[in-house]
Amino acid sequence: MDRSVLFISSDQSFLVKTMVKGLNDAGFETVLSQPDIVEIQLIQKLPTIFIVYLEGDINAFNGTLKYLTKLMSESADNKFLYLIGSQIEIDVAKEVVPHSFVNGVFVRPVSMKEVVGKINDTLMNGDRKKRILVVDDDAVMLRTMKNWLSKKYDVYMANSGMNAISFLAQNVVDLILLDYEMPVASGLQVFEMIKGEPRTADIPVIFLTAKDDRETVMKVLAAKPEKYLLKTMAPDALIQSVDDFFKGR
């Protein structure tokens, strides 16, 4: 289990050094860095755990936070991000980092016992849950899908195509379950918008449809989604299909 930590702070004060010592005493291997992308890029082996100690000019952390988010979204290995600061500083930082990427926040004054305990819990629980966005104009279907999938996955909901696009502008997910038939913007139109935007083009999309006639199936397949699922599937079968999709990747 990798217990390496990148501790990012603009000032290596006595308090910061004390926190780093606390991490080292708890068995973590800690690397200190300024909130500077170039300095982070020079680290030969990037740690698994990122701790950002927010203080001073919060805007000085924006570039680093965006860079860490990019690293986390592109890495094949799990990486974990924690924020330490005042409540205002944390709130500002979370406007830069999608909330789904933040594994924990600690409001000053901080207890190192709490920090170490939270990180240990994360590592003990293993891989982070995959994130799924379910897009459907039917509120009952949204709640049903969330209930079925939430035991294994972090599930987010959007009740229209445009709400889905807005959500994806601020958040990263591992899979989109997209209703094929929706008013205003159809599933196919939303699919084309997702694939036409560089930020979201690589997110896999599985269509959901209530129809299994040949004409509908052919239209669905013509869009070339990852696959399609029938809304009439039994819960266990639908969940298994999602599980199989992630296993296959």
Side-chain angles (χ1 to χ4, degrees):
M1 184 184 298
D2 189 349
R3 295 176 66 80
S4 58
V5 175
L6 174 60
F7 195 105
I8 300 171
S9 172
S10 60
D11 180 20
Q12 296 185 17
S13 63
F14 174 77
L15 178 59
V16 168
K17 291 179 180 178
T18 300
M19 296 180 70
V20 170
K21 184 179 185 302
L23 289 167
N24 291 338
D25 290 344
F28 293 95
E29 182 180 344
T30 310
V31 177
L32 265 170
S33 173
Q34 293 283 324
D36 183 280
I37 296 174
V38 174
E39 184 175 340
I40 295 171
Q41 289 174 334
L42 291 175
I43 299 173
Q44 290 187 348
K45 184 181 178 183
L46 199 64
T48 295
I49 302 158
F50 305 141
I51 298 178
V52 181
Y53 188 83
L54 302 162
E55 61 178 348
D57 181 8
I58 189 64
N59 292 322
F61 289 85
N62 288 353
T64 298
L65 290 169
K66 290 178 181 178
Y67 180 65
L68 294 179
T69 301
K70 182 175 182 291
L71 289 176
M72 295 177 73
S73 64
E74 294 178 350
S75 175
D77 301 320
N78 287 319
K79 296 192 179 296
F80 308 98
L81 174 63
Y82 300 89
L83 304 176
I84 299 175
S86 68
Q87 188 61 62
I88 293 176
E89 290 166 338
I90 291 171
D91 289 343
V92 172
K94 290 175 78 173
E95 292 178 2
V96 178
V97 182
H99 65 85
S100 55
F101 278 82
V102 180
N103 295 91
V105 298
F106 305 96
V107 178
R108 289 194 301 263
V110 180
S111 162
M112 281 311 297
K113 182 178 180 180
E114 180 185 355
V115 174
V116 169
K118 176 66 175 178
I119 296 174
N120 280 332
D121 285 345
T122 302
L123 296 177
M124 292 271 299
N125 289 333
D127 297 349
R128 69 164 175 81
K129 289 183 178 181
K130 297 291 187 182
R131 307 179 186 98
I132 299 176
L133 173 63
V134 182
V135 187
D136 200 305
D137 62 300
D138 185 337
V140 174
M141 187 64 187
L142 284 177
R143 289 195 298 271
T144 299
M145 293 296 292
K146 185 174 178 65
N147 288 337
W148 287 356
L149 296 168
S150 287
K151 290 182 180 180
K152 292 185 177 181
Y153 304 103
D154 285 332
V155 182
Y156 306 91
M157 301 182 293
N159 62 4
S160 72
M162 298 317 297
N163 284 342
I165 297 300
S166 297
F167 176 87
L168 292 170
Q170 300 294 326
N171 299 274
V172 177
V173 297
D174 300 292
L175 175 65
I176 300 169
L177 296 180
L178 178 60
D179 184 14
Y180 186 74
E181 295 181 304
M182 292 188 295
V184 185
S186 70
L188 181 56
Q189 291 172 316
V190 176
F191 180 85
E192 291 172 345
M193 285 188 278
I194 291 170
K195 295 303 178 182
E197 173 60 44
R199 174 182 169 83
T200 56
D202 293 331
I203 302 175
V205 177
I206 293 178
F207 274 125
L208 295 171
T209 179
K211 296 183 178 181
D212 60 359
D213 60 278
R214 186 176 185 278
E215 182 180 356
T216 300
V217 171
M218 294 304 292
K219 286 181 179 178
V220 171
L221 294 177
K224 297 183 179 180
E226 296 293 329
K227 62 191 304 184
Y228 76 93
L229 299 175
L230 294 174
K231 292 183 178 181
T232 53
M233 293 174 69
D236 290 345
L238 190 146
I239 294 169
Q240 187 62 54
S241 292
V242 174
D243 292 346
D244 290 345
F245 167 77
F246 282 120
K247 289 177 184 177
R249 293 175 68 86

